[in-house]
Amino acid sequence: MKSTSRDIRLRNCFAVLRHLIADAPTSRQILARETDLSVATVSNLVTDLIELGVVVEVGREDSGGGRPRALLAPNVGGGVMIGVDVAETYVHLEVYDLALTVVDRVDERMEPSENRPDQVIEHIASAMDQVRSRLGERAILGLGVSLPGQVDVAWGVSGFAPNWNWHDVPFRKLLGERLRLSVPIYLDNPLKTITVGELWFGDGRGVERLAVLILGTGVGAGLAFGGQLYRGATNSAGEWGHTTINPGGPQCRCGAKGCIEAYVGAPAILWQWSQLDGRAGAASQTEAMAALAAAWEAGEVSAVRTVETVAEHLAAGVANLLNLVNPDLVVFDGWVTGVLGDALIPEFERRLPAHAMEAPLKAARLRRNRYDRNMVALGAAALALEGHLNRLNTVGSRSRR
Amino acid sequence: MKSTSRDIRLRNCFAVLRHLIADAPTSRQILARETDLSVATVSNLVTDLIELGVVVEVGREDSGGGRPRALLAPNVGGGVMIGVDVAETYVHLEVYDLALTVVDRVDERMEPSENRPDQVIEHIASAMDQVRSRLGERAILGLGVSLPGQVDVAWGVSGFAPNWNWHDVPFRKLLGERLRLSVPIYLDNPLKTITVGELWFGDGRGVERLAVLILGTGVGAGLAFGGQLYRGATNSAGEWGHTTINPGGPQCRCGAKGCIEAYVGAPAILWQWSQLDGRAGAASQTEAMAALAAAWEAGEVSAVRTVETVAEHLAAGVANLLNLVNPDLVVFDGWVTGVLGDALIPEFERRLPAHAMEAPLKAARLRRNRYDRNMVALGAAALALEGHLNRLNTVGSRSRR
Amino acid sequence: MKSTSRDIRLRNCFAVLRHLIADAPTSRQILARETDLSVATVSNLVTDLIELGVVVEVGREDSGGGRPRALLAPNVGGGVMIGVDVAETYVHLEVYDLALTVVDRVDERMEPSENRPDQVIEHIASAMDQVRSRLGERAILGLGVSLPGQVDVAWGVSGFAPNWNWHDVPFRKLLGERLRLSVPIYLDNPLKTITVGELWFGDGRGVERLAVLILGTGVGAGLAFGGQLYRGATNSAGEWGHTTINPGGPQCRCGAKGCIEAYVGAPAILWQWSQLDGRAGAASQTEAMAALAAAWEAGEVSAVRTVETVAEHLAAGVANLLNLVNPDLVVFDGWVTGVLGDALIPEFERRLPAHAMEAPLKAARLRRNRYDRNMVALGAAALALEGHLNRLNTVGSRSRR
Amino acid sequence: MKSTSRDIRLRNCFAVLRHLIADAPTSRQILARETDLSVATVSNLVTDLIELGVVVEVGREDSGGGRPRALLAPNVGGGVMIGVDVAETYVHLEVYDLALTVVDRVDERMEPSENRPDQVIEHIASAMDQVRSRLGERAILGLGVSLPGQVDVAWGVSGFAPNWNWHDVPFRKLLGERLRLSVPIYLDNPLKTITVGELWFGDGRGVERLAVLILGTGVGAGLAFGGQLYRGATNSAGEWGHTTINPGGPQCRCGAKGCIEAYVGAPAILWQWSQLDGRAGAASQTEAMAALAAAWEAGEVSAVRTVETVAEHLAAGVANLLNLVNPDLVVFDGWVTGVLGDALIPEFERRLPAHAMEAPLKAARLRRNRYDRNMVALGAAALALEGHLNRLNTVGSRSRR
């Protein structure tokens, strides 16, 4: 529970750099205004960021009579971060410059049978080999990896990946041995990386109390307070998908009944549709979801009813989150939001007021992720960036004191 | 979202003073160890707290060879804080010294008909007159008032008190005009004041992620992160009592259905018992709840079944909180915990593992408020103390720089 | 499972007499047409009914060219039946002639403390004394008594009256000893007597598959097939009020959870209203229900919402009945229907199609009891009439064979 | 609502013949005792049954002093009935003698694509051709056909077969034109034919109030009162599978939510298992159900939990049936009972008392279909037999009067 001035510097550094990434080029003065920090504080931080090679001066602007102000931008020619999105059927690896622009990318497909840790690591290694050959001498500042399931962040261990039947796999250690990188590896699950991605590159930037709802095969909520991911006591905060909205409801794969995920997870959505229409079972999960979206668009009764039912349960679940957490912003993310969002989100919004209390309902802006970016990989890379910035506290400011 | 060094100083100041109140007399060195801060930081803070009249040196202790260390304690002869617990049938006012010990107390009964703001204020004023005459010259550092319902903290307004039909009453302003105090008045609701009370004087002290469950006529959860009350965007965070656990469940007084409060609020508990046993309706709410506890103690079937049913719903609701927030500690508080806790809490704990996920369940310690104190009034006084300490940032440290 | 010609004669006799009561004066020919029986069968039955003193010829009508036809009517100058409606706070005794017209009536109030069998019997005896003195020499053909709770019809025993805590009280024997009547006593509960009342005097007359929904303090469904009450194996058929519509729903006084009665019984309706509006608890159950009806009429939000919620649960419960039993007619009865029906029934009908299957929904006519009669007492008297008609099989037809 | 002596004769005829089929050879005297009818009534009926070629005298037995009594038996050398079980993937046709013994059988497989009425009829015709060639001159007394979905019995029309998307197909007419049979065709759905099968050949024989629960891909309850199938107003009685036990429960294919079928229908059972264990989705429905039964036998946690969950919902649903209908006997039937019954039924019975009221629970015997027979086809043939016996009323008794 100790709070130190180092914590504050890092938090403020994140705020400044996020604004710089969003609005570059810009000046210290504007950054101060946007972040509500003093110009002196911003200047100190910028000095350190420049020293660390993260920010560069890119020119000057007229300041209306006074001395021309320096224009700052992320150092897009500097080092890169690597974000890896590992799912059950693929490994997506993306390389980001310091403006969080994708500069390289490799996709590896995995067979369902390839579910041992060494097999997954081999795919990551193969992707890394390809991008390293193209990066040449450019420095890698850090590597972030998103793994499905529960992840012990401190120890870099995959605590439990249900679909692979992994238990306590020392993934970070194994991956480090295979890759022989000189930079740190950060491990987390998609719920957490997407939320970090929203803090750095999405609508979540600058939001004091943020909830990111990830609607996909699994369902969860990333929470962030004061610009920082809220992990809870054991990095399992945000298991909103496994909060109960009906103890007599359908079986959930977590073992309990009537969890939100048992109503609005992708398999549950498609199961409900299949009860009303035989097409749901015919194809892959994503194809079936696209078929549902198309059927809804065409006004088919079974699709309309399925969407309404899912929207009703989603409204009850989101209302619970609003009433308990009272966030400033809720961002909808995850592949189901992408595929079915046009149908689902408006129906959900119509039903929300019947469940949520007035004050938190009014307070919460609702947004849908509008960026055509892989937020899982981006967030994993942002974890690596946050790790790199942590060096500020040892390197940067010491020199000035 | 700005974080400043002032915020940190205040947060660390709270941590130091909470330990001092709990373990006085003690030394700077021990405080540093307990709070995980440097001795230099603690020393700076203590200097300021002494300057502010909040802490005093009370002696010296041998330090095993070195210079004797100063022993510190709260300045129990200094100013006092006043905490007021306003409920529908009474006004309880308590006077606290800086060790948070009660030094005076006045109880006023209110008739059900006395529900206009001016009537409530008159009772507070009457109680204040009594304690002021006994305080003599002793300084009042601040006044905290707990009001039922929704409270706008910044504006000191009772936004909505359903049982009194108050809407947007400028209570702080009205009370200030009546009392003509020279110190600030802090207004909040019991959910919030109890949680602050737990941070200063209960098991919540020093806990990083705290949830306080208040089981009473209403039901709610106070959340605190990093030693500070989490209020949410509009001070309505923690409306756990109005999260849904069954959309087809009983009507809740918030207008929705199947809220936790509609199952485990005192009226709901007694209604369920009355369905099985006619005695429930016979008496006041607290008398009926005590009768239920006695009937459970005697092994009466209707009471046993009622407690089991309530425990089952409570388990589902608390599991939702654990899964979403992943706290380090859950403290049960509120008058229903006091009266029915011996029956309810063990039954609840038995059922919790069927609903909660393994990781957050293991992480969360469960405690029942063991203090025979009015946590509502204590927390209201603690709000006033926190306000007083905020002067550190303007008065204290400046002098040294 | 034996079916005998005696059964058929009795069933046909009921059909003929019910039409006679409804449409007197009328002829054998019209009765044959209305009951779909042959004129010969009807004539045989009428001969017996006349012999039994139940029917009389009251004149002749022109038959369009042929021999004038005899006009028949119930023998309103003949014997009388007595029906007694025993509830927790009163005893209502009514005397009926053979047209089921009320010819005398006594109301006795009972104190809540008067709940021993001998006290209840004393009230019935007192009422009987009054009517007997006024009846003079007129014959009493039978006495029917409706008691709350479970009744063993064959043994005349009150198996369980929960609000009085009666268990296996030999009520018929005790009452017989006290009254010293020479005619049989029939005992049943209001669920059954109301249904029999509907068969003899309500919309249920002539309906092949009838369900009578009784909405009152308790809730239940009387079923009748082929013009005869369906009692089930142990006279407990029709406990529709204790079928579950939500296993996680509110506590029911039967011990289970989420029963229909726990949502739409009078105490549950008023409890729900009281959650939204304080007035509900102020008065007696019937006064509070009338206040709810008035508040709904006035468009008050809390009343409107309460009625909507109750209607929603009622729709789910009635749909279950339609889907399982597929009746021709559903009649709504009970005091809650009387007081709140104008509000509740239309809201219910709007919601029913969302729950019921198409075929049984189309098949079932819905009616509300339109008669300003005490159907409990009328049905109890009708039970006595049915018992009297059973003598047909021993007296009547034998003489002709 | 007319009751005639013809109805009674037919009903008594059914009772006599059912006992004869079960206990042949037997005497008129024993039949009278078993059916509770007079010897004269039984003798009349037997005379007619012999005249109709349904029963024969097969010898004489000593009657302990008196005249030797004739021994009676079904005329197994007489005509035959044909029962056809049409499902989505097969047509099973069975030929029965008058003792309801299978004397011939043809199984036809159907492809999923063969779902037009003419294709189904062609399979029936093909099977009929095969058995007719083997029957030679032996008379066919009638043909009963069970079709999935809703059937209009009077008009011989398949009102709605959801999996084939049939609407109002005049199936009986089409089949009659194709087969050119001189005997009547009876059409109904499996819910009804299984129940009739239980009345003629199962535990339901001689039971006054019978409920047959069919657990299969669909779920339903056949009701029979007084030895006769209860069809309701539109032959849709018994849609127990589509009564709601949780309005917030999972989507049902009927369009509503939380129906019993949505919890305990085969697809729902397997879906729940698949949430806990990946194997469920791997195979055909029957193979997957057998795998679940094997996994339960092996004590696998996911299987045990699935069975417990299904048993819990089944208990709630059956309790609703007991409380409303109060039957003497409940028989479990359907392929899921066959495959999973050893696991499911005991778990269900353990949970039933928590949901059912005491009186109907005590009254209802619970049985599981113990016969290794196709009850769908047998019941269809029994419908044809019932139709044949109806000729009694025109042919048989007239000759004697």
Side-chain angles (χ1 to χ4, degrees), chain C residues 1-5 8 11-12 35-37 150 206-209 221 223 225-227 230-240 242-247 256 320-321 323-328 354-355 357 359-360 363, chain D residues 1-5 8 11-12 35-37 150 206-209 221 223 225-227 230-240 242-247 256 320-321 323-328 354-355 357 359-360 363:
Chain C
M1 228 176 63
K2 174 180 62 169
S3 293
T4 67
S5 54
I8 284 211
R11 188 179 301 199
N12 290 338
T35 57
D36 217 10
L37 297 167
Q150 294 168 21
V207 171
E208 186 60 38
R209 286 152 295 251
L223 301 176
F225 302 131
Y230 174 79
R231 294 185 177 280
T234 52
N235 199 34
S236 69
E239 288 292 0
W240 171 74
H242 299 292
T243 58
T244 303
I245 52 172
N246 187 338
N320 281 0
L321 187 74
N323 291 355
L324 184 58
V325 176
N326 193 14
D328 302 279
H355 297 277
M357 299 182 81
Chain D
M1 224 176 68
K2 171 181 65 168
S3 295
T4 67
S5 54
I8 283 211
R11 187 178 300 201
N12 289 338
T35 57
D36 218 9
L37 297 167
Q150 293 168 21
V207 171
E208 187 61 38
R209 289 152 293 251
L223 301 176
F225 303 131
Y230 174 78
R231 295 184 178 280
T234 51
N235 199 35
S236 71
E239 287 292 0
W240 171 74
H242 298 292
T243 58
T244 303
I245 52 172
N246 188 339
N320 282 0
L321 186 74
N323 291 356
L324 183 58
V325 176
N326 192 14
D328 301 280
H355 297 276
M357 298 181 82

Side-chain angles (χ1 to χ4, degrees), chain A residues 1-4 8 11-12 36 207-209 230 233-234 236 238-239 242-245 247 320 323-326, chain B residues 1-4 8 11-12 36 207-208 230 233-234 236 238-239 242-245 247 320 323-326:
Chain A
M1 228 178 63
K2 172 179 66 170
S3 295
T4 67
I8 284 212
R11 188 178 301 199
N12 290 338
D36 218 8
V207 171
E208 185 62 36
R209 286 151 295 250
Y230 175 78
T234 52
S236 69
E239 288 292 359
H242 299 292
T243 58
T244 303
I245 51 173
N320 282 1
N323 291 356
L324 184 58
V325 177
N326 193 13
Chain B
M1 227 177 64
K2 172 179 66 169
S3 293
T4 67
I8 284 210
R11 188 178 301 197
N12 290 338
D36 217 9
V207 172
E208 186 62 38
Y230 175 78
T234 53
S236 70
E239 287 292 358
H242 299 293
T243 57
T244 304
I245 52 172
N320 282 0
N323 291 356
L324 183 58
V325 177
N326 192 14

Side-chain angles (χ1 to χ4, degrees), chain C residues 107-172:
Chain C
D107 290 352
E108 297 258 325
R109 294 211 62 80
M110 287 200 297
E111 296 304 312
S113 60
E114 298 180 289
N115 54 24
R116 292 200 319 270
D118 64 299
Q119 294 173 313
V120 173
I121 284 172
E122 214 48 50
H123 278 288
I124 299 177
S126 158
M128 279 297 286
D129 285 346
Q130 296 173 57
V131 301
R132 274 207 269 198
S133 69
R134 296 193 285 256
L135 277 172
E137 296 301 302
R138 200 164 175 183
I140 295 172
L141 301 179
L143 171 68
V145 180
S146 165
L147 280 182
Q150 294 168 21
V151 171
D152 183 319
V153 170
W155 293 94
V157 166
S158 168
F160 180 45
N163 291 309
W164 288 338
N165 206 24
W166 289 11
H167 292 271
D168 296 323
V169 172
F171 195 86
R172 189 171 62 189

Side-chain angles (χ1 to χ4, degrees), chain D residues 4-11 13-14 17 48-49 52 54 141 184 186 200 228 382-398:
Chain D
T4 67
S5 54
R6 286 178 53 175
D7 295 339
I8 283 211
R9 287 196 73 230
L10 196 58
R11 187 178 300 201
C13 169
F14 288 2
L17 186 56
D48 291 356
L49 285 166
L52 210 60
V54 170
L141 302 179
Y186 299 89
W200 278 95
Q228 292 196 296
L383 280 174
L385 175 58
E386 291 189 353
H388 183 66
L389 294 174
N390 199 26
R391 300 174 62 201
L392 263 188
N393 285 315
T394 51
V395 177
S397 55
R398 192 192 302 151

Side-chain angles (χ1 to χ4, degrees), chain C residues 54-271:
Chain C
V54 171
V55 165
V56 289
E57 291 197 358
V58 293
R60 305 208 148 245
E61 70 169 0
D62 185 56
S63 66
R67 206 167 51 141
R69 291 169 175 172
L71 286 174
L72 306 162
N75 180 14
V76 296
V80 296
M81 287 81 60
I82 292 174
V84 186
D85 170 13
V86 178
E88 285 155 43
T89 56
Y90 60 79
V91 167
H92 288 176
L93 182 149
E94 299 197 340
V95 181
Y96 299 87
D97 66 19
L98 281 158
L100 294 177
T101 304
V102 177
V103 296
D104 200 359
R105 168 187 290 130
V106 178
D107 290 352
E108 297 258 325
R109 294 211 62 80
M110 287 200 297
E111 296 304 312
S113 60
E114 298 180 289
N115 54 24
R116 292 200 319 270
D118 64 299
Q119 294 173 313
V120 173
I121 284 172
E122 214 48 50
H123 278 288
I124 299 177
S126 158
M128 279 297 286
D129 285 346
Q130 296 173 57
V131 301
R132 274 207 269 198
S133 69
R134 296 193 285 256
L135 277 172
E137 296 301 302
R138 200 164 175 183
I140 295 172
L141 301 179
L143 171 68
V145 180
S146 165
L147 280 182
Q150 294 168 21
V151 171
D152 183 319
V153 170
W155 293 94
V157 166
S158 168
F160 180 45
N163 291 309
W164 288 338
N165 206 24
W166 289 11
H167 292 271
D168 296 323
V169 172
F171 195 86
R172 189 171 62 189
K173 181 165 166 287
L174 297 172
L175 182 63
E177 288 167 2
R178 175 66 181 80
L179 295 183
R180 296 178 180 279
L181 280 177
S182 57
V183 295
I185 299 174
Y186 300 88
L187 211 66
D188 219 320
N189 67 22
L191 192 62
K192 301 301 192 313
T193 61
I194 289 177
T195 305
V196 170
E198 290 288 345
L199 288 171
W200 279 94
F201 205 83
D203 288 308
R205 193 166 41 210
V207 171
E208 186 60 38
R209 286 152 295 251
L210 169 69
V212 180
L213 294 188
I214 290 121
L215 305 181
T217 307
V219 162
L223 301 176
F225 302 131
Q228 291 196 296
L229 182 64
Y230 174 79
R231 294 185 177 280
T234 52
N235 199 34
S236 69
E239 288 292 0
W240 171 74
H242 299 292
T243 58
T244 303
I245 52 172
N246 187 338
Q251 181 71 54
C252 184
R253 73 194 162 90
C254 76
K257 276 148 217 149
C259 297
I260 292 173
E261 187 173 305
Y263 286 106
V264 311
I269 295 173
L270 294 175
W271 163 255

Side-chain angles (χ1 to χ4, degrees), chain D residues 153-168:
Chain D
V153 171
W155 294 94
V157 166
S158 169
F160 180 42
N163 291 309
W164 288 339
N165 207 23
W166 290 10
H167 291 271
D168 296 323

Side-chain angles (χ1 to χ4, degrees), chain A residues 18-342:
Chain A
R18 286 167 188 171
H19 277 282
L20 247 172
I21 288 172
D23 301 321
T26 189
S27 65
R28 288 168 179 82
Q29 287 73 18
I30 289 173
L31 286 170
R33 198 181 62 211
E34 292 290 321
T35 57
D36 218 8
L37 297 166
S38 70
V39 175
T41 299
V42 169
S43 293
N44 267 346
L45 287 167
V46 166
T47 302
D48 291 355
L49 285 167
I50 290 172
E51 185 173 341
L52 210 61
V54 171
V55 166
V56 289
E57 291 199 0
V58 293
R60 308 214 144 238
E61 69 170 0
D62 187 56
S63 66
R67 207 167 48 145
R69 291 170 176 170
L71 287 174
L72 306 163
N75 180 13
V76 296
V80 296
M81 286 81 60
I82 293 176
V84 186
D85 171 12
V86 179
E88 286 154 42
T89 55
Y90 60 80
V91 167
H92 288 175
L93 182 149
E94 299 196 338
V95 181
Y96 299 87
D97 66 18
L98 281 158
L100 293 178
T101 305
V102 178
V103 295
D104 199 359
R105 168 186 290 129
V106 178
D107 288 354
E108 298 258 326
R109 295 210 65 78
M110 287 200 296
E111 297 302 312
S113 60
E114 299 181 289
N115 55 24
R116 293 199 318 271
D118 64 300
Q119 293 172 312
V120 173
I121 284 172
E122 213 48 49
H123 278 289
I124 299 177
S126 159
M128 279 296 286
D129 285 347
Q130 297 173 55
V131 300
R132 275 208 267 197
S133 69
R134 295 192 287 256
L135 276 173
E137 295 302 303
R138 202 163 173 184
I140 294 172
L141 302 179
L143 171 68
V145 180
S146 166
L147 280 183
Q150 293 169 20
V151 172
D152 183 317
V153 170
W155 294 93
V157 166
S158 168
F160 180 43
N163 291 310
W164 288 338
N165 207 25
W166 289 10
H167 291 271
D168 295 323
V169 172
F171 195 85
R172 189 172 61 189
K173 182 166 165 286
L174 295 173
L175 182 63
E177 287 168 3
R178 175 66 183 78
L179 294 183
R180 296 177 179 281
L181 279 177
S182 57
V183 295
I185 299 175
Y186 300 89
L187 211 66
D188 220 319
N189 66 23
L191 192 63
K192 302 300 192 315
T193 60
I194 290 176
T195 305
V196 171
E198 290 288 346
L199 288 171
W200 278 94
F201 204 84
D203 288 308
R205 194 167 41 212
V207 171
E208 185 62 36
R209 286 151 295 250
L210 169 69
V212 180
L213 294 188
I214 290 121
L215 304 180
T217 307
V219 162
L223 302 177
F225 302 131
Q228 292 196 294
L229 181 64
Y230 175 78
R231 295 184 177 279
T234 52
N235 199 35
S236 69
E239 288 292 359
W240 171 74
H242 299 292
T243 58
T244 303
I245 51 173
N246 187 338
Q251 180 71 53
C252 184
R253 73 194 163 91
C254 76
K257 276 150 217 148
C259 297
I260 292 173
E261 187 173 305
Y263 286 105
V264 310
I269 295 174
L270 294 175
W271 163 254
Q272 290 177 74
W273 189 36
S274 78
Q275 291 295 91
L276 300 174
D277 188 310
R279 266 170 303 173
S284 80
Q285 214 174 57
T286 43
E287 287 165 343
M289 194 66 73
L292 172 59
W296 178 86
E297 186 71 36
E300 293 182 23
V301 172
S302 65
V304 168
R305 194 175 293 181
T306 299
V307 167
E308 287 175 353
T309 300
V310 173
E312 176 65 23
H313 292 299
L314 187 60
V318 173
N320 282 1
L321 186 74
L322 296 189
N323 291 356
L324 184 58
V325 177
N326 193 13
D328 302 278
L329 175 68
V330 176
V331 177
F332 285 84
D333 213 313
W335 71 266
V336 170
T337 303
V339 176
L340 195 63
D342 286 347

